[in-house]
Amino acid sequence: MPDEEKFLDGLANDLIFRLPPSFDDVEDERRHRKERLTAALRIFGKFGFEEGVAGHITARDPERTDHFWVNPFGMSFKHIRVSDLILVNHEGKVVEGRYPVNEAAFAIHSQVHQARPDVVAAAHSHSTHGRAISALGQKLEPITQDVCAFYQDHGLFDDYTGVVTDLEEGKRIAAALGDSKAVILRNHGLLTVGDTVDAAAWWFITMERSCQVQLLAKAAGQVVPIEHDNAVLTHQQIGNDLVGWINYQPLYDQITREQPDLFD
């Protein structure tokens, strides 16, 4: 993206600055994605994004691109290790791992990954403030700098028909997502995507917080929105996946230092 290139050009050559890694070996890339996926699940657990067995994050396999890695059904986000992840194929069968797949995870994520070949990872959970916004059937408004990452870049799936176990429902969710980074599922929760696990996880975290801010601000009084042109500009500055990846790194550092057993 032009904005990413401009950002990178502005970095001093002698400063230490992390960027998403590239890989020559597919096994190294697979291990990397699985580690980032496990760390993201631990972070979601730490932030209280669990609701029983609901919620899932997926990462496309770098070699078998119609397969994805996902957290097992019925296991706490807080306890998941790299060795617990399961690999699911395009038919919903577990081809690697010891645990079953969440049926809803397959119904939703398989269709998102199929519709969006640019997406490496997708995150969905029943977080508190995301559910509250979804119950209102509203989209996020440009009322803070951070939420502008989603300005004209998230959809609304304006329907609810029960727990998603049907592939056709997954296709409709993917259609509501379109080419954006996120979608609000009415009466359900949030779903975000990214070209890395890190970006997808960050978009979910900051979207959940933006839902909280919108609810608080509107409860307190009349909000002052950011003007359209400034919201568009801010989206260009902070709304791409590279910036999402960068914003996520402090959280990754924290969780891996606090909980190094996730790599087991």
Side-chain angles (χ1 to χ4, degrees):
M1 297 181 182
D3 293 308
E4 293 182 12
E5 293 173 4
K6 183 178 180 181
F7 176 78
L8 294 174
D9 288 342
L11 293 175
N13 292 330
D14 59 345
L15 296 181
I16 297 173
F17 193 89
R18 289 179 293 176
L19 292 171
S22 57
F23 298 90
D24 296 322
D25 183 84
V26 71
E27 289 295 338
D28 290 342
E29 186 169 13
R30 179 177 292 118
R31 177 69 189 189
H32 175 81
R33 289 188 185 183
K34 291 171 69 176
E35 289 177 353
R36 308 307 271 210
L37 175 56
T38 306
L41 290 161
R42 291 288 187 103
I43 290 170
F44 275 34
K46 182 177 180 178
F47 287 173
F49 294 165
E50 290 184 285
E51 186 72 16
V53 298
H56 13 86
I57 309 176
T58 54
R60 191 190 301 271
D61 187 79
E63 183 178 20
R64 292 169 283 187
T65 55
D66 61 348
H67 293 47
F68 57 79
W69 295 91
V70 63
N71 49 298
F73 178 71
M75 183 177 290
S76 171
F77 290 172
K78 297 177 182 178
H79 298 157
I80 290 174
R81 302 166 298 172
V82 170
S83 59
D84 295 321
L85 298 175
I86 58 176
L87 181 65
V88 180
N89 69 11
H90 66 285
E91 297 176 340
K93 295 179 180 178
V94 176
V95 297
E96 286 190 35
R98 301 168 292 165
Y99 303 98
V101 63
N102 185 317
E103 190 175 355
F106 177 72
I108 296 172
H109 289 250
S110 65
Q111 301 310 302
V112 168
H113 282 287
Q114 183 175 319
R116 292 282 300 275
D118 60 308
V119 163
V120 166
H124 166 65
S125 191
H126 297 181
S127 55
T128 300
H129 302 99
R131 279 184 291 169
I133 286 288
S134 77
L136 299 173
Q138 296 180 356
K139 296 175 73 174
L140 291 171
E141 300 175 17
I143 59 174
T144 69
Q145 174 175 296
D146 303 288
V147 78
C148 287
F150 300 96
Y151 188 63
Q152 298 183 327
D153 196 11
H154 70 294
L156 172 65
F157 181 63
D158 197 13
D159 194 11
Y160 180 79
T161 59
V163 176
V164 181
T165 58
D166 184 356
L167 291 181
E168 290 303 315
E169 189 83 346
K171 289 179 180 178
R172 294 204 298 137
I173 290 172
L177 172 68
D179 61 359
S180 63
K181 65 162 60 75
V183 59
I184 296 171
L185 312 178
R186 201 193 74 201
N187 307 109
H188 189 170
L190 311 176
L191 183 142
T192 60
V193 299
D195 64 6
T196 60
V197 173
D198 303 52
W202 173 253
W203 297 137
F204 190 97
I205 292 164
T206 193
M207 191 176 198
E208 163 67 11
R209 291 169 172 170
S210 292
C211 290
Q212 182 179 11
V213 170
Q214 183 162 309
L215 291 164
L216 287 170
K218 287 196 165 187
Q222 184 69 37
V223 299
V224 180
I226 296 171
E227 295 180 357
H228 169 74
D229 288 348
N230 289 328
V232 169
L233 173 61
T234 307
H235 176 270
Q236 292 172 350
Q237 294 169 328
I238 67 171
N240 64 70
D241 278 351
L242 175 60
V243 174
W245 187 94
I246 292 168
N247 272 304
Y248 180 77
Q249 297 318 295
L251 294 176
Y252 179 80
D253 292 342
Q254 290 171 27
I255 203 69
T256 54
R257 292 187 182 186
E258 291 173 3
Q259 304 178 26
D261 65 301
L262 70 86
F263 293 113
D264 294 346

